[in-house]
Amino acid sequence: MKPHKPLRLGIAGLGTVGSGLLSLLAEHSDAIAVRCGRTVEVAGVCARWRNKNRAVDLSGVPWFDTPAALAVDPAIDVFVELIGGDSGPALESVEAALRAGKHVVTANKALLARHGPELAALAEKSGVALNFEAAVAGGIPIVKALRESLLGNSISRVYGILNGTSNYILTRMQREGLPFGEVLAEAQALGYAEADPTFDIDGQDAGHTLSLLAALAFGVRPNFGAVYLEGIRGITPADFRAADELGYRIKLLAVAVRTGGGIEARVSPTMIPKSSALAGVDGVLNCVAVEGDFAGLIILAGPGAGARPTASSVASDIIDIARGHMRPPFILPAAKLESHSRAQMRTHEGGYYIRLSVYDRPGAIAAIATRMAEQRISLESVVQKREAPSLPGFGRPGQDGDATPVVMITHRTREDALRSALDLIVMDGHVQGSPQMIRIEAL
Ligand SMILES: NC(=O)c1ccc[n+]([C@@H]2O[C@H](COP(=O)([O-])OP(=O)(O)OC[C@H]3O[C@@H](n4cnc5c(N)ncnc54)[C@H](OP(=O)(O)O)[C@@H]3O)[C@@H](O)[C@H]2O)c1
């Protein structure tokens, strides 16, 4: 029998993930050849700076000056895009590779969240693979789970902790009682947060991942624009103390759920019960949970980033191609993907945590309760913090005109009703500053 031809890779991007992939291929080349029945070879590489000092040995590997040139070169079978960005060289080279009939493996969630359906259609037209395990929660093999293992299920909800930087910051705030700004500065000094952390802490990064998870779980076109985003900047030590007393943890939770009004997809700081498996996912770890009607609750946790975990996912995509496994990128043929019908957040239903700074005046609490009742919101608990608060913005308790923290937990209610009640409570003049509102997710 004739031995199979080697699978020839063109790797564009030699940064964290690209270097990790080259190390993996060097360390495991023999095992991979046995598992695939053929060798996997690096036939070309490309990055911005040719003379940059890199931790990996590139001697003898052909260098290409642009990703687009590498993408279409006859010497490669698979174009591995590890550059990043949702436009420019990443998009142009991936499109060129697919048009030229090359398989594509990418770790680029931003690119897929924005151009996934068009790229999937191109891949289909050329009869090639478009694999992106590393783009969804780094080292966690959730794409394969949704694209293959759970295909016999109807999935009702997919959720997770999808951004390591935010999870690290929230974990430190919870454990040390420190304010957001201080922990962010510490995370930046340690290299866990970027100099501009916006993308991580305001929810966009998790939103990109969630749009891909929703597409895979529900067979819809990825739609980042349909994801509601709320970041973690407004969470205070007072919220962590209250959450702890009430039996909750605060996580930047990403949730996509089917509702009567469409798919509700949101990334927001969320209170989850301390008893839930996700409550123990701390630090830079990620976690994805899927609820299938037959499989039940499946939870995968692990490193959502880093050179080696991400390279592990890229390698699994390459090995699939080497073995001749082909799947539609998003479960269904591109033409059959439904558009994502978006449920509005005002129709969200659930419990809520509310923290108000209430002026110490007779009748203030009763007036607040009345506004809630007018919107048919019932309260599970109301706790007025009488101890001397250490928080800035709260005056000494018990004196007229001073403000006292009041924490309320609502029963299940609609978000628009709650927002109307809070607007009226602020207008009535009983509270200082803006109310804090955090959704509670039943897990
Ligand atoms: N880092 C992670 O843990 C992780 C996890 C999951 C997914 N991802 C995704 O993986 C992708 C790569 O991330 P990364 O962390 O490895 O990024 P990175 O360390 O910044 O590396 C980016 C690489 O792309 C090269 N590059 C940039 N612009 C280029 C251009 N115009 N032409 C050619 N090469 C260019 C850079 O070249 P130079 O080296 O010469 O500057 C560098 O080698 C991104 O899509 C990211 O979202 C990363």
Side-chain angles (χ1 to χ4, degrees), residues 13-17 46-49 52 54 67 82-84 89 107-108 134 305-306 310:
L14 301 171
T16 305
V17 184
C46 166
R48 245 176 327 193
W49 311 111
K52 193 167 169 177
R54 303 187 191 272
L82 304 173
I83 301 167
N108 190 337
T310 311

Side-chain angles (χ1 to χ4, degrees), residues 18 102 140 153 196 351 421 435:
K102 314 285 185 188
I140 300 176
N153 287 259
D196 176 3

Side-chain angles (χ1 to χ4, degrees), residues 235-257:
I235 303 298
T236 69
D239 298 318
F240 278 102
R241 282 198 293 276
D244 191 53
E245 284 167 21
L246 292 160
Y248 294 105
R249 291 278 181 252
I250 302 173
K251 294 290 185 187
L252 183 67
L253 196 73
V255 184
V257 59

Side-chain angles (χ1 to χ4, degrees), residues 176-218:
E176 312 299 332
L178 296 170
F180 171 78
E182 201 172 311
V183 179
L184 172 62
E186 175 198 279
Q188 285 170 319
L190 289 169
Y192 291 149
E194 303 278 345
D196 176 3
T198 311
F199 208 61
D200 292 314
I201 63 179
D202 290 342
Q204 285 100 323
D205 178 70
H208 282 149
T209 308
L210 185 67
S211 68
L212 297 175
L213 282 172
L216 292 163
F218 305 130

Side-chain angles (χ1 to χ4, degrees), residues 229-357:
L229 301 178
E230 211 179 274
I232 62 172
R233 293 177 199 259
I235 303 298
T236 69
D239 298 318
F240 278 102
R241 282 198 293 276
D244 191 53
E245 284 167 21
L246 292 160
Y248 294 105
R249 291 278 181 252
I250 302 173
K251 294 290 185 187
L252 183 67
L253 196 73
V255 184
V257 59
R258 276 189 200 278
T259 73
I263 295 169
E264 184 184 301
R266 65 191 132 91
V267 175
S268 61
T270 304
M271 290 209 178
I272 61 173
K274 278 187 201 172
S275 58
S276 103
L278 272 68
V281 175
D282 284 334
V284 294
L285 285 184
N286 280 200
C287 181
V288 185
V290 185
E291 291 172 356
D293 56 349
F294 277 71
L297 174 63
I298 304 294
I299 301 179
L300 295 173
R308 291 174 75 91
T310 311
S312 155
S313 289
V314 176
S316 91
D317 282 345
I318 293 168
I319 289 169
D320 261 359
I321 294 168
R323 290 171 148 184
H325 296 172
M326 290 271 294
R327 313 269 182 274
F330 293 102
I331 293 182
L332 301 173
K336 292 209 165 145
L337 290 171
E338 292 168 31
S339 42
H340 176 141
S341 68
R342 174 187 189 168
Q344 299 297 320
M345 280 310 292
R346 62 186 156 74
T347 66
H348 170 78
E349 288 189 18
Y352 290 84
Y353 156 97
I354 309 295
R355 180 171 53 76
L356 303 169
S357 183

